Amino acid sequence: MHDELALVMVSPEFVRSPVLRRLLEYLVEQTLAGNGDRLKAYQIAVEGLGRDDSFDPQSDSYPRVQVGRLRKMLDLHYAGLSPEQASGRQRIVIPVGHYNVTLEALASEPVAAVDVAAHSDASQQPPRADTDTGNDPAQRAQLPAPGLSASGPAAGAVPPMAGSRGWIIGAAGVLVLLGLAYVLWQFLASNSSEEAARRDMRTQLAHVSIITDPAGGSDDLNTAAQMAEMHLQRFEMLAVSTGGHNDIENGNGPREYQLLVRGGRRDGERPGGPIYMTLRHIGSGTTLWSYEIAQSGSNIAAPDIEQAIGNGISIIARSGGVIVQHQRKLIGQDMSAGYPCLIHYDGFRQRREAERRPALRQCLARSLKMYPNEPLLLQALSYMELSNPERGRRAPLVATQRGRELAEAALEFDSKSSLAQIAVARSALVRGNCPRSLAFSRRAVESNPLEPDTLGLAGTFLLSCGDYAGAEPVLERARELNEQPGGYQTASLVIARVINGKPKEALDLAQRADSPELDLQPNFLLAKALAFGANGRLGEARQTWRALEQAVGAQPGTAPVDVLESFTISPFFTRRMLAEVEATGIVPLPN
């Protein structure tokens, strides 16, 4: 089934239809996992089509309509195969009334969408015994062969009504053909403009071509290059190709990079030689980054080697990484629609410069008009909407309908995008929908475990919704990949350690990370106060709590719940933090 799915996915019909591609992949995955017979419309809508968890299958037929479209698209795909293309293949079938996927034999001669001759066979068959011709073999021999037109003397052997039926069925077949052609035209037309915009947007991205030295490579070098390509493909702000293969012909010298992989062992030698990766900017010939992976006797395919390659790729490809920083220098103040705007957005996410917000929002809005349904732009605009501060409130995020719609649109267009997944998790969190936030935070971690910004956000969302055991390793991984994490990531990791019974580790991290800048951030002050309190250092904990009151503009002695609600996002998290504050004695218990 996987082999057949791969063939279907590269067909023109499905290349032009991202929604149906995702749906078919989802149904196949669920079927192979043994869940096909249990699939329901709600599950398909939310998990397979990216709809919100508030979806009502009783009032909305969207999943059933999409599955119906998928069946028709599969029929059109198989109808268009030549005998050579159909040879040796089976066809994917979604039985009517079910959502599971099966494989059925595919005839060596593909069935046309509508075969007029086949449908008219009934009019050309020998008459039954009760007809005028009876069972006389001589009379039957005079009838034209099936599928051939009746002409000459033998034509008169066909009863008049049978001839009429043949004409009617033939005409109906033509009409069905025209109908199918119209449906296909409508479907392709609805997707072509979106797909064209998506392709145009991708031609703007920075492009990394991977080569080996020597060019022919070796087992080690080729494996390392394949691993590097796999990891680079996780990062959506980049396009990547290996050797002479180039999927993105953007012809944009300033955005072209080359990753050179060299070293390792030669074929037949013992493992152990280091692998070197070097990033060069093609336009200027500048070497921007070099990285050594010591094999230490391990086989190149060992998990620790793959992780080391992934860690190196994260340095160059992540948000604020080597390539983005280099592009930021090249682009300067240019805020053209598309890629330059996204580079400025990345800088805004890193530094949160409020004065840049209006110009950036306008730039992103212009970009979306030019590249509609581009997930990179949709998720960025969702963040701009959700992070728009309210007067008198210090919470970093607020719930807005527009922010939610933009996040869901990004996911609907690309359900495998980690950026879209984290955008949905964010919008769900600010609405208090923890189940959805937890689900998509975990998906984002699986989609790109090498992006520290995504990991930091996902870990914070997990923590905010009560998955303390799951949050800590995700936040630890984010910190491992980024030696200078944001204050919210550090605060979340400190709190996770406190809740998970690691008070000494929590306080050690809080003290090592402490800085004048972080001491202005309410979430870090809360984390530090909890770390002091968990270690029995109540004097320092209460002093830090007073600094927190001052940071949020609260009077000394303000009710702790009011202090927390002024800057926390999740009501669940607020209640848990209140319990921790009271349990450690940082503030007196309420009367």
Side-chain angles (χ1 to χ4, degrees), residues 129-284:
D130 57 353
T131 62
D132 292 343
T133 57
N135 290 322
D136 187 344
Q139 287 180 310
R140 288 202 302 271
Q142 294 178 7
L143 294 176
L148 299 178
S149 62
S151 61
V158 182
M161 287 302 296
S164 298
R165 284 199 305 273
W167 181 88
I168 292 171
I169 293 174
V174 172
L175 290 175
V176 173
L177 272 174
L178 291 173
L180 286 173
Y182 175 76
V183 169
L184 178 61
W185 175 78
Q186 286 283 79
F187 178 78
L188 296 180
S190 66
N191 288 281
S192 60
S193 61
E194 296 176 3
E195 285 297 296
R198 175 66 168 163
R199 288 194 298 272
D200 289 345
M201 178 67 204
R202 288 192 61 77
T203 62
Q204 291 201 24
L205 301 181
H207 173 234
V208 181
S209 57
I210 305 173
I211 63 172
T212 59
D213 182 19
S218 64
D219 287 346
D220 276 8
L221 289 184
N222 293 337
T223 301
Q226 290 168 2
M227 290 179 180
E229 180 184 18
M230 176 188 70
H231 291 310
L232 277 168
Q233 287 174 341
R234 299 179 186 273
F235 295 88
E236 297 158 63
M237 285 280 285
L238 293 174
V240 58
S241 61
T242 302
H245 176 67
N246 188 352
D247 290 327
I248 305 295
E249 298 284 357
N250 60 18
N252 194 327
R255 295 177 195 160
E256 290 284 344
Y257 297 86
Q258 186 180 81
L259 182 66
L260 176 65
V261 182
R262 58 187 177 86
R265 64 169 180 171
R266 295 180 180 177
D267 291 343
E269 293 181 352
R270 296 180 60 188
I275 297 288
Y276 301 96
M277 296 194 298
T278 303
L279 182 72
R280 295 172 178 166
H281 181 237
I282 295 178
S284 63

Side-chain angles (χ1 to χ4, degrees), residues 545-546 549 554-560 562-563 587-588:
W545 183 265
R546 287 192 291 272
E549 291 175 329
Q555 295 296 321
T558 298
D562 293 334
V563 174
V587 296

Side-chain angles (χ1 to χ4, degrees), residues 411 415-425 440-441 443-444 447:
L411 182 72
S415 63
K416 295 184 178 179
S417 162
S418 63
L419 295 176
Q421 290 161 352
I422 207 69
V424 170
F440 280 94
S441 294
R443 284 196 198 181
S447 297

Side-chain angles (χ1 to χ4, degrees), residues 57 77 114 140 154 231 244 267 281 293 302 318 327 357 359 366 376 406 409 413 426 430 433 464 539:
H77 166 71
V114 176
R140 288 202 302 271
H231 291 310
D267 291 343
H281 181 237
I293 302 153
R318 69 194 183 199
Q327 283 297 307
R357 177 182 288 273
R366 290 196 309 270
L376 290 171
L406 288 163
F413 194 85
R426 181 191 292 117
V430 298
N433 187 342
S464 298

Side-chain angles (χ1 to χ4, degrees), residues 271-272 295-302 304-305:
Q295 293 194 56
S296 302
S298 298
N299 186 284
I300 187 66
D304 58 327
I305 301 298

Side-chain angles (χ1 to χ4, degrees), residues 66 121 189 223 352 383 412 532:
Q66 292 298 81
D121 280 352
T223 301
R352 315 287 177 88
Y383 172 76
E412 184 168 351
F532 278 129

Side-chain angles (χ1 to χ4, degrees), residues 392-583:
R393 179 169 166 79
R394 294 180 177 271
L397 300 172
V398 293
T400 70
Q401 182 62 26
R402 177 63 174 161
R404 175 184 182 179
E405 291 171 350
L406 288 163
E408 297 291 346
L411 182 72
E412 184 168 351
F413 194 85
D414 188 354
S415 63
K416 295 184 178 179
S417 162
S418 63
L419 295 176
Q421 290 161 352
I422 207 69
V424 170
R426 181 191 292 117
S427 70
L429 177 68
V430 298
R431 300 194 315 272
N433 187 342
C434 268
R436 188 166 179 81
S437 185
L438 287 169
F440 280 94
S441 294
R442 292 165 184 151
R443 284 196 198 181
V445 172
E446 293 173 0
S447 297
N448 192 353
L450 297 176
E451 173 55 80
D453 190 51
T454 295
L455 296 176
L457 289 169
T460 297
F461 299 162
L462 293 173
L463 177 74
S464 298
C465 285
D467 184 5
Y468 312 120
E472 186 177 354
V474 173
L475 292 164
E476 292 279 11
R477 177 64 173 156
R479 183 172 179 82
E480 176 187 337
L481 290 171
N482 187 1
E483 295 178 355
Q484 296 180 327
Y488 76 92
Q489 292 185 26
T490 302
S492 296
L493 183 52
V494 170
I495 293 171
R497 287 179 175 179
V498 168
I499 293 176
N500 290 333
K502 302 174 182 177
K504 292 183 179 179
E505 293 90 334
L507 183 58
D508 178 65
L509 174 59
Q511 290 179 317
R512 283 189 288 109
D514 204 355
S515 69
E517 180 183 354
L518 288 183
D519 275 337
L520 298 176
Q521 298 182 16
N523 52 359
F524 180 74
L525 290 169
L526 169 64
K528 189 165 71 167
L530 289 176
F532 278 129
N535 284 274
R537 297 166 62 168
L538 287 182
E540 292 159 296
R542 290 168 179 167
Q543 181 180 354
T544 305
W545 183 265
R546 287 192 291 272
L548 171 60
E549 291 175 329
Q550 184 177 359
V552 300
Q555 295 296 321
T558 298
V561 66
D562 293 334
V563 174
L564 292 169
E565 286 181 344
S566 68
F567 69 92
T568 53
I569 302 169
S570 163
F572 176 89
F573 183 68
T574 301
R575 292 192 296 270
R576 180 57 193 261
M577 291 301 96
L578 180 62
E580 290 289 331
V581 166
E582 293 174 346

